[in-house]
Amino acid sequence: MTSTTNSHVTSDKSHKDHMGTAIKLAKYALDHGETPVACIFVHSITNKIVAYGMNDTNNSLTGIAHAEFMAIEQIKSRFPQDQVGFNQFCSDCIVYVTVEPCIMCASALKQLNLKKIYFGCGNDRFGGNGTVLSIHQDKSTLNHEGTLYEQESIPGLYRREAIMLLRYFYVKENKRSPNPRIKLERNLDKDNFPQINWSQYMSKNLFGQEFGLTNLSHFQTMDDLEEYKIIDWDLIDSHYDTLIDDLTKEINQFKLNEFKRIKI
């Protein structure tokens, strides 16, 4: 059995607030020529951001430079030569990512024993948290303690905003693509959005726990929650020039030596 001592002040930010930060980070990526997918890792005990990541595939010309891997590397850098500490810390983190993790990233997050993954929209081609494969429900993966576990996958937070950022990207020409496509005649659809099949990602029981029993009708009708049906255009059309500096400052304020697991 373990207990935790921590002198951090717990943040009162909500899941929606954290996903909003991830959306801002995705917009920052878009403004800098990258695919607008981003994530943050939040320490579940203190509710503090401890890492962030953006897709870097265009800039690095590396196919595996996905947002989740960028964030994992940030955390790993805090634990040089300490795999046990790294594993324990990851198990206390929650991920907020704008787009459902691909199969590669979903597998990495599952193996790191991350208990919850919140994401905006599904990943129709490569989704590993329910759309294509359900890595989060894989019963053969052992956590770092050698036991089986299932990961909770919660979609739908700022789903339409996440979709719109992707649409912004795909109507533009990606000049760094091996085979750039001319997209001058593509129209930006701001009105039509696909349904969300909640049951692909989570059980009805988990849906009720996360979003409240009064919202269960959305699980059946496969539509967005009321609070997410109207797009926050300011959120996705603003520019966030100081965001990286702000996140870096917040992350650096999290002191690992103030977070300790004590064996009892």
Side-chain angles (χ1 to χ4, degrees):
M1 180 179 178
T2 61
S3 68
T4 302
T5 61
N6 199 329
S7 61
H8 286 293
V9 176
T10 302
S11 167
D12 60 357
K13 290 183 179 178
S14 67
H15 297 308
K16 185 176 182 179
D17 292 332
H18 286 314
M19 186 60 76
T21 298
I23 290 287
K24 293 175 182 178
L25 196 57
K27 179 53 164 56
Y28 180 93
L30 177 67
D31 288 343
H32 290 79
E34 278 295 340
T35 308
V37 179
C39 70
I40 60 171
F41 281 49
V42 173
H43 186 239
S44 62
I45 298 171
T46 61
N47 202 26
K48 295 286 190 177
I49 298 173
V50 294
Y52 69 87
M54 300 175 288
N55 264 34
D56 193 44
T57 53
N58 281 346
N59 180 60
S60 67
L61 300 179
T62 304
I64 63 171
H66 289 193
E68 296 91 333
F69 276 86
M70 301 298 101
I72 290 170
E73 285 300 314
Q74 284 186 10
I75 295 178
K76 198 169 185 178
S77 68
R78 288 173 171 255
F79 293 90
Q81 311 302 317
D82 185 6
Q83 188 66 39
V84 173
F86 170 70
N87 288 339
Q88 288 182 338
F89 189 79
C90 285
S91 70
D92 288 323
C93 290
I94 297 173
V95 177
Y96 298 84
V97 57
T98 57
V99 178
E100 176 190 3
C102 71
I103 293 168
M104 173 182 68
C105 292
S107 179
L109 297 176
K110 184 70 161 59
Q111 292 179 62
L112 288 175
N113 196 27
L114 288 149
K115 300 299 193 303
K116 279 190 176 185
I117 311 296
Y118 288 87
F119 62 90
C121 65
N123 184 339
D124 291 340
R125 296 180 65 188
F126 307 111
N129 277 63
T131 301
V132 178
L133 292 179
S134 298
I135 303 294
H136 63 296
Q137 295 176 346
D138 171 39
K139 292 182 173 60
S140 64
T141 305
L142 298 178
N143 61 23
H144 64 268
E145 296 174 343
T147 57
L148 297 173
Y149 85 104
E150 287 191 32
Q151 191 179 68
E152 292 184 352
S153 179
I154 300 99
L157 281 67
Y158 284 120
R159 184 178 80 104
R160 298 189 180 196
E161 287 80 357
I163 290 173
M164 284 308 309
L165 287 176
L166 292 174
R167 288 178 179 177
Y168 284 169
F169 178 78
Y170 286 116
V171 297
K172 296 165 57 177
E173 289 188 54
N174 181 5
K175 296 181 180 179
R176 305 203 70 173
S177 170
N179 297 296
R181 299 177 183 177
I182 298 176
K183 304 178 181 179
L184 297 178
E185 297 182 359
R186 288 195 177 184
N187 294 319
L188 181 63
D189 185 356
K190 295 184 176 182
D191 302 311
N192 300 299
F193 297 89
Q195 289 184 309
I196 175 170
N197 186 354
W198 299 95
S199 64
Q200 282 185 297
Y201 313 106
M202 62 197 307
S203 66
K204 188 174 182 180
N205 182 54
L206 178 58
F207 182 94
Q209 291 176 20
E210 288 291 331
F211 301 119
L213 298 179
T214 57
N215 284 313
L216 278 178
S217 61
H218 296 277
F219 188 89
Q220 303 293 345
T221 57
M222 298 191 295
D223 63 349
D224 292 289
L225 300 178
E226 294 301 323
E227 64 180 306
Y228 293 112
K229 283 186 176 180
I230 299 177
I231 293 177
D232 186 341
W233 293 107
D234 286 340
L235 180 63
I236 59 175
D237 286 338
S238 298
H239 300 286
Y240 302 99
D241 297 331
T242 66
L243 181 59
I244 299 300
D245 289 340
D246 294 340
L247 286 174
T248 300
K249 181 179 179 180
E250 180 173 350
I251 290 167
N252 288 339
Q253 288 175 345
F254 189 96
K255 304 299 183 182
L256 284 175
N257 61 353
E258 295 178 4
F259 172 74
K260 301 177 181 178
R261 286 176 173 267
I262 301 177
K263 297 283 184 179
I264 298 178

